[in-house]
Every structure is written in structure tokens, then in C-alpha cells.
Amino acid sequence: LILIALLIFISCSNGNNSHYLPNKSGELNLAKVIQNKKAAVIINKMHGKKLDDCKNFIAIYGNNHSKNILYISVYENAEKTETNLKNMAMKRANGSSVFSPLTHHKMEDKVYFETEGMGLKHCFYRVDNILIWWQVEPDKAETTLSDLLKFDFAILNDKINRQ
């Protein structure tokens, strides 16, 4: 009975997101997913304003109280996503009171931006119509980012189209 209860708990904590989000990044396991309106409220609160209408996912890795968090926004089209990515990069280019000046890197066919702030590394990039922001503890940044850059986030479109 304990094993059955544990399996049910694990299934509920990740919902049906296990096929649409990475179950693991580096040594960090997916612990919790927040999505839709709850995720939008959190993201809007972080920015201090209401952002564009899109589908949002927040995936927490490590444990439920971890600071290793993946923020994902799925927009209607790639052009809107590219515009938002460029705006984010321009706002953070010279740094701020919270973030260090922005750097950019290329891994395989993706260009991603990187900054540091609040004791964490932050990387953001896009895949077609999907904007991805990864905040991670510095000692886990290299291996986790490498895994995320290899993950096919485009399958999130399938999930959204089925809703």
C-alpha cells in the first residue's frame, strides 16, 4: 500500500508534464510543475506587470523549495517570441541592480544569453515560439544547461494544442 501511495503521489506531483518537460537536468530531478493561470500570476508578479498572453510553465528541479527553476512561455508564433527575447536581452545588456551584464553564447544551433544575479546563474533563449529562462545554482549551471539545450521543447506545442 505504501508503494502504491508513493507512485500515486509521484504521478500527481508531475501531472502529465513528464512527456513535455525534462524529467531531469544534470543531476536535478523534476520536483514540481506549475502551469497556466497559476504560473502566469507568478511570472507577472516577478516582473511587476502583466506580460503578454501566452501559456506558461514553471518547473522546479531538485526539490519543491529549490531555486533551480525553469520558466517557459509558449507564444502564438516565433516572431512574437523572438521580439520578446530581443527585448529581454536589450533590457539586461548592461546589467542592473539585480543582474550582471549580459553575455551570449552559442551551443549547437542555439544562441543563449547568460547573466548572474541573486546568487544564481540565469540563462535564456528561444526554441521557435517558446521562450525559456533557466535559473540555477552556479555549481550546477554547466551540466544542467547542456541538458536543457538538447531537450526538444517544441513538443510543448502538442500539449497546448490538446488542451
Side-chain angles (χ1 to χ4, degrees):
L1 288 175
I2 293 172
L3 182 58
I4 292 171
L6 182 60
L7 289 173
I8 290 171
F9 173 76
I10 290 169
S11 298
C12 291
S13 65
N14 288 341
N16 57 1
N17 297 296
S18 61
H19 302 294
Y20 304 102
L21 297 172
N23 283 323
K24 188 172 186 169
S25 188
E27 295 300 315
L28 300 171
N29 291 316
L30 178 61
K32 181 179 181 180
V33 176
I34 303 166
Q35 59 186 346
N36 301 326
K37 289 181 182 178
K38 288 181 182 179
V41 167
I42 292 168
I43 291 171
N44 288 336
K45 187 175 181 181
M46 274 184 353
H47 289 89
K49 63 181 180 179
K50 185 176 184 330
L51 298 178
D52 292 333
D53 189 34
C54 59
K55 302 291 184 187
N56 295 292
F57 299 84
I58 300 172
I60 301 169
Y61 288 82
N63 62 53
N64 284 338
H65 305 290
S66 175
K67 294 180 180 179
N68 304 304
I69 303 173
L70 183 63
Y71 298 93
I72 302 167
S73 296
V74 183
Y75 293 89
E76 287 182 29
N77 57 59
E79 293 79 21
K80 183 86 166 166
T81 310
E82 184 173 6
T83 298
N84 282 325
L85 178 69
K86 286 179 181 177
N87 288 340
M88 288 171 62
M90 300 260 305
K91 287 179 184 175
R92 287 163 185 77
N94 296 320
S96 69
S97 61
V98 178
F99 295 106
S100 67
L102 198 63
T103 60
H104 69 281
H105 307 276
K106 187 170 183 165
M107 181 178 261
E108 297 172 15
D109 63 340
K110 294 179 183 77
V111 174
Y112 66 93
F113 298 92
E114 191 173 289
T115 185
E116 293 183 27
M118 300 170 282
L120 301 166
K121 285 213 174 218
H122 302 263
C123 303
F124 60 97
Y125 61 99
R126 79 174 183 96
V127 175
D128 298 321
N129 64 318
I130 301 168
L131 187 61
I132 299 156
W133 179 290
W134 174 232
Q135 75 174 36
V136 64
E137 297 166 274
D139 63 325
K140 296 171 178 66
E142 189 175 327
T143 56
T144 57
L145 181 60
S146 178
D147 284 353
L148 290 175
L149 289 170
K150 293 174 187 170
F151 187 78
D152 183 12
F153 283 97
I155 61 176
L156 274 171
N157 287 314
D158 294 337
K159 177 178 179 58
I160 289 168
N161 290 335
R162 292 180 192 182
Q163 291 180 338

